[in-house]
């Protein structure tokens, strides 16, 4: 058969699901060819992609991708040879060690799966926005992902919290793991259905089944009360484009610090950053409804937050200053570095 780009594209889609950590079971770093599908599974999340082939067996994912990439779009034969997968093109041959499909670990949603809700473009936009506040590790399992509470998405990393009100028809609460929602975002091109079977979630795309195990024993945080604490009748201030540009400029120029400093008055906001080699300061005229405040924020989180909100206000909360921002149905709250 001729290796087309489609096989390499499928392998590249499956690869993020694999776990190449040598201390974990080697089977989790493999692709499983069943003759009808190509599958990947890392112990928690899995993906199945429809693909007809004569080869049946499991092969190391990275080795296969490297071989397919090296052959590019040449004519190539794929053959089984006992415990090897042979890729041959002309006088060139690559042998990859394989293992039987019986060794492959997997699970999926049963036929008794229950429909939760339809994933729409609105839901995808909510995932993209709430990614802003998800933590980078799983040290706090209750926060490691995006929470779905009824029709609202929440995320927090203890420094910021994001909220997005979707139009989905959902009545339960659960936490979407990062790898799972990242794949949903990548694969989405039309409305699809999210299913649940006990502690397994599954989304069926065109020729692709994506599934994950979730911890149904997790007690989700009370996100709503945190957001509500800063929601009052105070009029939010429209963020001038000049302010967003100034912050982005300061972040770009001053790479030697992780802090940005704000001096807020009734008529303007002075933003600055200082490092060993650089000192940048800009003043932007803006009417804001706060008392004079001085505070520092994480410069990356502050700049990223400004990208997704149109209005904001600043309010004191103990020793910290809270930036409360909104854009339509999206709310973003960022805590300053403690003064």
């Amino acid at each position: 058969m001729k290796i087309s780009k489609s096989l390499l594209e499928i392998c590249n889609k499956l690869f993020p699901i694999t776990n190449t950590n040598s201390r974990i079971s080697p089977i989790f770093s493999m692709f499983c060819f069943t003759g009808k599908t190509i599958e990947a599974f890392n112990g928690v999340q899995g993906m199945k992609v429809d693909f007809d082939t004569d080869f049946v067996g499991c092969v190391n994912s990275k080795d296969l991708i490297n071989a397919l990439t090296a052959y590019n779009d040449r004519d190539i034969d794929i053959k089984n040879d006992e415990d090897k997968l042979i890729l041959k093109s002309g006088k060139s041959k690559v042998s990859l060690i394989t293992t039987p499909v019986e060794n492959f670990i997997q699970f999926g949603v049963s036929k008794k799966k229950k429909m939760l809700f339809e994933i729409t473009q609105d839901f995808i936009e909510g995932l993209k926005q709430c990614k802003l506040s998800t933590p980078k590790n799983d040290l706090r399992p209750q926060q490691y992902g995006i929470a779905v509470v009824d029709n609202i998405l929440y995320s927090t990393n203890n420094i910021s919290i994001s909220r997005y009100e979707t139009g989905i028809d959902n009545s339960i609460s659960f936490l979407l793991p990062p790898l799972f929602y990242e794949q949903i975002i990548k694969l989405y091109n039309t409305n699809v259905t999210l299913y649940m079977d006990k502690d397994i979630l599954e989304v069926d795309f065109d020729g692709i089944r994506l599934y994950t195990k979730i911890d149904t024993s997790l007690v989700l945080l009370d996100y709503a009360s945190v957001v509500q604490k800063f929601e009052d009748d105070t009029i939010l201030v429209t963020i001038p484009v000049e302010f967003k540009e100034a912050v982005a400029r300061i972040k770009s120029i001053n790479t030697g610090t992780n802090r940005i400093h704000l001096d807020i008055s009734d008529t303007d906001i002075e933003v600055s950053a200082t490092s060993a080699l650089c000192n940048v300061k800009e003043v932007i005229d803006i009417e804001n409804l706060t008392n004079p405040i001085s505070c520092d924020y994480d410069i990356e989180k502050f700049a990223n937050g400004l990208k997704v909100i149109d209005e904001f206000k600043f309010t004191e909360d103990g020793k910290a200053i809270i930036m409360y921002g909104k854009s339509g149905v999206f709310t973003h709250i960022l805590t300053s570095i403690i003064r």
Side-chain angles (χ1 to χ4, degrees), residues 194-251:
L194 178 66
Y195 296 97
M196 187 174 191
D197 175 29
K198 297 179 181 177
D199 60 349
I200 308 296
L201 298 176
E202 180 182 298
V203 183
D204 296 344
F205 297 91
D206 184 22
I208 299 176
R209 295 177 64 193
L210 178 69
Y211 54 92
T212 187
K213 190 180 184 68
I214 60 172
D215 187 350
T216 54
S217 67
L218 274 181
V219 178
L220 298 183
L221 303 175
D222 188 1
Y223 303 94
S225 64
V226 176
V227 176
Q228 188 175 14
K229 178 181 178 180
F230 302 102
E231 288 184 325
D232 54 32
D233 295 330
T234 303
I235 297 174
L236 300 181
V237 176
T238 300
I239 306 172
V241 174
E242 295 80 8
F243 183 78
K244 294 188 177 187
E245 291 176 345
V247 171
R249 191 160 44 242
I250 289 174
K251 178 178 178 291

Side-chain angles (χ1 to χ4, degrees), residues 21-40:
N21 189 331
S22 60
R23 291 174 295 181
I24 307 298
S25 173
I27 201 67
F28 293 151
S29 67
M30 294 186 174
F31 292 146
C32 178
F33 287 74
T34 67
K36 295 294 183 182
T37 63
I38 308 175
E39 306 177 15

Side-chain angles (χ1 to χ4, degrees), residues 18 30 51 65 109 114-115 118 178 259 269 290 304 334:
T18 61
M30 294 186 174
F51 191 83
I65 287 175
V109 177
K114 178 180 69 174
M115 173 182 170
E118 188 178 64
R259 293 188 176 208
I269 299 182
T290 64
N304 288 341
L334 179 66

